[in-house]
Amino acid sequence: MRVLSFRLAILGILLTFAPACAVAGEISYLNDVMAVFSKAGCNQGVCHGNKFGKGGFRLSLRGQDPRFDYLSLSRNLSGRRVNVQNPAESLLLLKPTMEVAHEGGRRFDVDSVEYKILLQWLEANMPFDSDHAERLTGLTVTPQEKIVVGDVDEIQLTVLAQFSNGTSRDVTRLAVYEPVNQNVTVSIGGLVQREDFGETWVNVRYLDQQFAVRLAFISRQNGDNWKATNPHNYVDEHVFAKLKQLRLNPTPLCSDEVFLRRSYLDLLGLLPTSVEAQRFISDHRPDKRARLIEELLDRNEFADFWALKWSDLLRNEEKTLDRKGVENFHAWIRRAFALNMPLDQFVRELIVARGSTYENPPANFYRGLRDPITRAESSAQLFLGIRLQCAKCHNHPFDRWTQDDYYGWANLFAQVNYKTVDNTRKDRLDKNEFIGEQIVFMSSKGHVKHAVTGQPAPSRFLGAADRSIDEKDDRLLQLSAWIVSPENRQFARAQVNRIWYQLIGRGIVEPIDDFRVTNPPSNPKLLDALTDDFIASGYDVKCMIRTIINSHVYQAALPTAPGTAMELENFARPVIRRLTAEQILDAISQVAGKPVAFNGFPMGMRASQLPGVRAIRPRDKQLSLGDQFLLTFGKPQRMQTCECERSNETTLSQTLQMVSGPLMNQLLAADENRLDELLQSKRSPAEIINDVFWSTLTRSPTAEEMAAILSKVSGDLTRETLEDLLWALLNSNEFLLRH
């Protein structure tokens, strides 16, 4: 830190005598030279912007510290990289043009704009801009969005930079263009060329300003084959409008059987029983789907399943919270969803929580987040959909967040403190284990030091620099009031995107907790409409779920042909995904008619009702078969504040569990399970087979399926045949996938 301060002091002296560069026609170090470094890629992390630099030459990442770069360029190593006496002989020009060997290769040519800017700046004796020089304030890219159909394979982007003196100029040549996929390539001058049909966006960057341009090249083969589809609500209106632009048709409505299964799994985490399913199918009222949604939203299992989702996000696990804390916290979360607590109130109570982790369950939110940095990063990601982590070491390279934002936000959580009443942890070598009551309280002192200045960082809200914070008042009370206020639309945007993801399988912004300028929503108007509705409803989660599930988009059928990326990104068709660990296990248990045992819990508790990860840890007792199954199928350990911790990927271990695992064998072969009940029901083989299909796949068997099964039956169904049938259905994709 002393070295840095000394260097900055020297730089200040040097700049005092450096000629100012703020008049028209002259080259600006801040606005032109720094732009050349970015355009040529010199200050990227893979080059001189690396933490350790390259070849002894280091620049700040993406030019976040121009003064440091000036000192490094003009004075480091006795200024050997520049030659003001003979500018054309400067290494600053010779290396990027490959006149001298350069590990980074050729970055620009001698007759290029970049070369001329650097040469003119060197000839002017390397001036640094005065304090009154114009500063970049904004960026305008034209077009901001464009969809072209047919043989058009080029789109020219134009970039205008706005400055603090009210002027603007064309910086198309010096802007950096970063396409997000291989559908397009972009030339130095901003000409976008199609490589393949499809939708993409190009991140345009000039100095510290960024903008994402959404583009789509549509094949003429798509033609004008848009088929008008009646929207159910505003969700469909916005989705269909975008699909019409892209010449994509939404799929028709799904069958009643598919809708029934889908809505049960998404709202309750369960399959409908055979009786429930056949009762719904036999109902011929036109509004039966809307009626079913209301019925499911009022069931106890809804609170169980959605409490599971939020327990994952809030790190509700036994290692840091202990078992009593986990159970109390889970009960509070479940009660909130059972009572349909407005989400702004839910989050406000979490943020301001303090007191006993046993008596005031929301206080457990801070028990699992042990330091201001973890609290800050987790809260930003969970409540605002902002990933701040990159700004810890440098200004965020893909977003607007600076290190000042990062440490100012972290300082809001610096006064949270703990008092451990008693810690009876069993593993004395594991300092992260806590067993016993803790008291969360706000101390009168506490601050986070800025990593660069070493000084306490002034508290600040993210994206609200104009909002002052009273450091002497309770910071968390101020934070809770701001974060859920209607003026802070980012909270509502992040939460409706999360709900959309949980029901649809893909976020409007994807990943769902990565809102940034360079990661725009696939349908901005849809996201804005949902956000407006959510705020107007008083942050009513059930109201938002009801709106989405009643839409055609949610109720769309799955086509037989594979979907394209553009169809999935724009919700033209459903997303196929594997059922979660809890959904699969609860479904198998329900179909088999036998409960699954979990260590430390009474028999009969479903996987979706478990408060934490594991009540009894492996060192105390071998994992139960139920616990092993959940672990194999991706139940998260709840060590991260992220949906991404849960894995729905398929593995060989999962296949072995389903095909020949001990739990499957135990449930199917158990005495007095549902198979015995069916065999003793005195029903015909066809009726029993039909019941098994409804229980597992939520449909009746086709004529071909029924004939094939009955061909294997001579006389009455045997227990062995019925076990084989159920085993086959449970191992089918139709059972294991949500479609």
Side-chain angles (χ1 to χ4, degrees), residues 2 309 403 444 545:
R2 290 182 179 178
K309 294 176 181 292
Q403 286 184 285
S444 58
I545 292 173

Side-chain angles (χ1 to χ4, degrees), residues 257 260-261 264-265 268 270-281 292 295-296 299 301 586-587 589-593 606 674 677 690-699:
E257 291 87 346
L260 178 68
R261 177 186 177 87
Y264 262 76
L265 286 169
L268 310 183
L270 295 171
L271 292 177
T273 65
S274 174
V275 173
E276 290 170 333
Q278 294 184 70
R279 182 174 66 237
F280 177 77
I281 299 304
L292 176 68
E295 177 188 326
L296 298 182
R299 283 182 53 163
E301 295 93 332
D586 284 342
S589 173
Q590 176 180 311
V591 171
R606 291 182 288 104
R674 190 161 182 275
E677 178 185 327
N690 188 63
D691 191 289
V692 171
F693 265 81
W694 278 108
S695 299
T696 53
L697 305 184
T698 320
R699 66 171 177 84

Side-chain angles (χ1 to χ4, degrees), residues 37 77 102 232 495 709:
F37 291 159
L77 295 180
H102 182 220
H232 289 187
Q495 301 315 313
I709 297 169

Side-chain angles (χ1 to χ4, degrees), residues 668-680:
L668 294 183
D671 294 333
E672 299 181 359
N673 65 6
R674 190 161 182 275
L675 300 184
D676 291 320
E677 178 185 327
L678 290 171
L679 291 171
Q680 296 168 8

